[in-house]
Amino acid sequence: MTSTMGSDGWLDDTRLSEGTELEESALRCLRTVKWNKIAEMCSKLRPAHICNIRKKFSMGTENLVKLIEFADGVKWVARISLEDEDGRHTASKHDQMVSQVATYRYLKQHTNVPVPEVHAYDASSENEIGASYMLLTYIHGNVADKCHLNSDQSRHVLNQMVEIMVKLAAHTFDCIGCLSVDEEGHFTISTDLETNGGPYKTAQEYYNATSVHRFHHYADRYFRNNGEADCEPGLHLPFLFNNLMPMLTDCMKDTGPFFLTNTDFGMHNVLVDANLNIVGIIDCDSLMAAPIHVTAQYETLLGRTIPLPGLATQESVTTQTFVKGKVDFDYLVERVAIAETKLHGNTPIADAMVSDGARLVEGLHRYRAMQDWVNAEWVKSYWYMYYRSLGSSRCVEFANVDRPLNKEESAREEDSPESSQNKPGGSNGEGTLVANGDKKEKLGGNFVRNLEQTSHFKPADSWELWQLQVL
C-alpha cells in the first residue's frame, strides 16, 4: 500500500510530454480549458467561499481531474472529458455523461454505495468552459489497482466489492438499459449506451442487439484490414452466441426482473483508504439494468482469466494462470452466495455464475478485444458446451489454439521434443477439436447452416457469414 494518499500523489504537467495520443489530449485539456471559469462557477454555487484550483491532476483514458479547494476546507473535483483526436466530443460521450450523472444521483438517493455528489455538469463541449465537465465532491482515497496489494489485501477489497455488487443487484427493473432521470427527478430505464437501442423488454432482445452490434462494430475493422473472412476462425463468435444462448438458457422466457449491474466493476474504479476500506466508486457509466447472466460477469473483479469450458489441461504458464484464476473464482462464487443469502436468503447470482449462460456471455465480452487466438478458443469452447448439453460423444476437450507465446512458454516450446511437430488443435484452418492429442472431430459446418433456418439473428447480406469456415 502506497504511503501517499489521494490528491497528494497526483501528477503535474511537467510529468507529461507530447508523446502518446493520451498525453497530447491531456496537455491540450490543461492548456485550453478555461479553469478561471470553473473557479467562478464554483464560487457561484458556494457563495462567499473563495476557491482555488490546484495545479496537480489525475487522469484516466477518458477524463482528467483537478482538485478544487474552498477556503472553509470543502473539496470538490472538476472532471473534464478528454477530447477525441479530431478535437470534438462524440455523441456517445455526451450520452455517457448524462447516464453517469443519473446513476450517481440514483445511487445517492436509493443506496448507501459511496459515490460522489454531482454539484453541476454540462455534457456538451459548447460552453464557456470549453469542454464537457462534472463538478463532484472530492473523495480522499487511492485507486485500488494502483496500491500493489498482496493476496490477502486483494481479498479484503474484493469482499467489499462483492457486497456492493449484490446490493446493487437488489435494485430491479422491468426492462434492460441504462438509467436516466427527468427534470422532476424521476428515474427510468432508457437506451442502452452500447447498442444505442432499447430499453429491451426481454433478455433475448438485448442479446440479439448486443450480438449484432459487437459483430458489426468490432469485425468491421477486421474486414477492412483483411480480404478473406474465413481466415479468422473466431470472427463469427457473436452468431454462435446468439443461437446457443436460447438453447442453453431460458433467456427467451426471461422478461425480468432485471438487475442493476456495473458491467465494468473492477479495482480500477474503486477508491480505498489507508486501511483498504472502500470509500468511493468512480466511473459509473457502465451501470445498467441487465439480465442475470450479465450480472453474473464478475471476472472483472478478479482481474484474472478462468479456464474455458473444454480446454484440455496442459503443462504451461497459461494453465498455471488458469488454475490460480479458478481458485479465485471459486472463492468469489462462495462470497457472492454468502452475501446473497445474508441479504435475501437465496443465491440467484452465485448460481448463474457457474452456468453455461454466464460462460457464453463471457465469451461475447472477450470478443471485444478482437484477439484472434482468444476468439478461436472461445468458439471451440462454445461448441464444447453445445455438445455437452446434448450428451454427445463429440463433446471432447480441445488443445490451446496457436497464439503468441511469452518468453517462458517459448523456452518450453524450444526444449520440447514435439516442438518440430504440428501442435494439435491449432488454428490451422482444419476445424478440429482434439482429445488426448490424437482424436479429432470435424465439427460445425452443417450445424451452423441448419441454424440459418431457425435463427433469430440474421446476418447482413454483405457479411456472407454462412461462407465462413466454422472452427
Side-chain angles (χ1 to χ4, degrees):
M1 179 74 185
T2 180
S3 58
T4 305
M5 289 296 298
S7 60
D8 293 336
W10 288 6
L11 305 171
D12 58 62
D13 54 13
T14 62
R15 300 274 297 274
L16 291 177
S17 61
E18 294 185 2
T20 67
E21 181 180 328
L22 179 59
E23 289 176 325
E24 291 176 359
S25 181
L27 284 170
R28 188 163 55 248
C29 174
L30 292 170
R31 294 166 181 167
T32 61
V33 167
K34 297 180 177 61
W35 300 102
N36 62 317
K37 295 294 183 181
I38 293 179
E40 291 175 8
M41 183 184 305
C42 292
S43 295
K44 290 179 181 178
L45 292 170
R46 298 195 76 230
H49 295 286
I50 299 173
C51 72
N52 175 53
I53 300 179
R54 292 266 298 270
K55 285 193 64 176
K56 287 188 173 183
F57 63 92
S58 177
M59 61 179 289
T61 57
E62 296 183 355
N63 301 284
L64 184 145
V65 178
K66 275 200 170 192
L67 183 67
I68 303 168
E69 294 180 310
F70 290 90
D72 62 350
V74 171
K75 295 180 181 180
W76 290 0
V77 293
R79 186 176 184 268
I80 311 296
S81 293
L82 296 177
E83 293 180 339
D84 295 323
E85 188 175 6
D86 62 359
R88 294 174 298 175
H89 292 299
T90 63
S92 61
K93 280 193 173 184
H94 176 281
D95 296 342
Q96 190 175 3
M97 179 176 289
V98 171
S99 178
Q100 184 163 196
V101 169
T103 301
Y104 279 145
R105 289 177 172 168
Y106 179 89
L107 295 179
K108 271 289 185 185
Q109 292 183 29
H110 298 282
T111 77
N112 60 358
V113 174
V115 294
E117 182 178 351
V118 180
H119 300 289
Y121 80 98
D122 190 336
S124 170
S125 59
E126 303 298 322
N127 54 48
E128 62 178 355
I129 305 300
S132 56
Y133 66 90
M134 282 191 281
L135 299 180
L136 308 168
T137 300
Y138 169 71
I139 299 176
H140 190 62
N142 286 347
V143 179
D145 73 345
K146 304 296 184 184
C147 293
H148 309 292
L149 307 179
N150 60 35
S151 179
D152 290 340
Q153 291 172 329
S154 294
R155 287 196 169 184
H156 175 71
V157 177
L158 180 65
N159 292 343
Q160 299 171 73
M161 295 174 70
V162 166
E163 295 279 347
I164 291 172
M165 289 291 279
V166 170
K167 288 178 181 179
L168 286 178
H171 296 258
T172 58
F173 302 86
D174 61 1
C175 55
I176 299 168
C178 296
L179 281 165
S180 64
V181 60
D182 61 24
E183 293 181 355
E184 297 179 353
H186 298 138
F187 294 96
T188 58
I189 297 299
S190 60
T191 302
D192 171 54
L193 292 180
E194 180 183 3
T195 62
N196 199 30
Y200 302 104
K201 294 296 185 180
T202 70
Q204 188 60 25
E205 286 181 14
Y206 169 73
Y207 290 137
N208 287 347
T210 304
S211 300
V212 171
H213 168 79
R214 290 188 185 172
F215 179 79
H216 285 274
H217 182 74
Y218 294 100
D220 179 64
R221 291 174 295 176
Y222 186 91
F223 280 105
R224 288 199 304 265
N225 297 327
N226 299 273
E228 297 296 330
D230 60 0
C231 63
E232 211 292 63
L235 193 63
H236 64 292
L237 180 146
F239 293 85
L240 288 179
F241 167 86
N242 206 64
N243 284 286
L244 290 177
M245 276 298 285
M247 295 180 185
L248 303 184
T249 73
D250 292 328
C251 65
M252 293 189 71
K253 301 177 183 178
D254 187 358
T255 58
F258 302 109
F259 308 88
L260 189 60
T261 303
N262 190 336
T263 59
D264 185 36
F265 192 34
M267 293 198 181
H268 60 288
N269 50 31
V270 169
L271 295 178
V272 296
D273 63 17
N275 296 317
L276 299 180
N277 296 316
I278 294 178
V279 293
I281 307 298
I282 56 177
D283 295 337
C284 290
D285 53 311
S286 296
L287 261 78
M288 64 179 294
I292 187 67
H293 293 109
V294 175
T295 304
Q297 297 302 302
Y298 279 40
E299 74 278 0
T300 306
L301 275 71
L302 292 173
R304 297 186 184 278
T305 301
I306 60 178
L308 279 66
L311 178 63
T313 301
Q314 295 178 330
E315 291 296 328
S316 69
V317 175
T318 301
T319 300
Q320 295 170 19
T321 301
F322 280 157
V323 169
K324 175 61 176 172
K326 182 63 165 61
V327 171
D328 289 344
F329 179 75
D330 290 344
Y331 174 82
L332 182 61
V333 173
E334 178 184 358
R335 297 304 305 183
V336 171
I338 291 172
E340 287 188 287
T341 302
K342 179 181 177 181
L343 188 64
H344 45 62
N346 53 16
T347 60
I349 301 173
D351 295 341
M353 289 174 69
V354 296
S355 68
D356 284 345
R359 302 314 304 276
L360 290 172
V361 172
E362 182 186 351
L364 187 65
H365 176 78
R366 300 293 184 189
Y367 181 81
R368 295 185 296 184
M370 285 308 292
Q371 293 178 285
D372 293 356
W373 68 273
V374 172
N375 293 341
E377 284 192 346
W378 271 105
V379 165
K380 289 188 175 186
S381 186
Y382 275 16
W383 285 113
Y384 177 88
M385 286 186 278
Y386 168 69
Y387 284 116
R388 183 177 62 187
S389 72
L390 299 180
S392 170
S393 61
R394 286 185 166 182
C395 177
V396 292
E397 290 186 335
F398 58 90
N400 286 97
V401 170
D402 289 340
R403 59 182 177 76
L405 301 178
N406 60 36
K407 292 181 180 179
E408 186 172 347
E409 290 176 308
S410 297
R412 293 188 183 193
E413 287 289 311
E414 292 172 1
D415 294 338
S416 170
E418 292 85 13
S419 60
S420 61
Q421 302 176 7
N422 292 329
K423 292 169 59 179
S427 55
N428 53 12
E430 293 297 322
T432 60
L433 297 184
V434 179
N436 300 323
D438 53 6
K439 182 179 178 181
K440 299 183 179 180
E441 293 281 337
K442 181 78 173 181
L443 305 177
N446 290 334
F447 178 69
V448 170
R449 282 187 286 274
N450 291 339
L451 284 177
E452 187 181 13
Q453 306 303 318
T454 58
S455 173
H456 299 277
F457 175 52
K458 295 294 193 295
D461 294 338
S462 60
W463 299 111
E464 302 290 341
L465 171 71
W466 308 114
Q467 295 183 15
L468 295 176
Q469 293 292 322
V470 178
L471 295 183

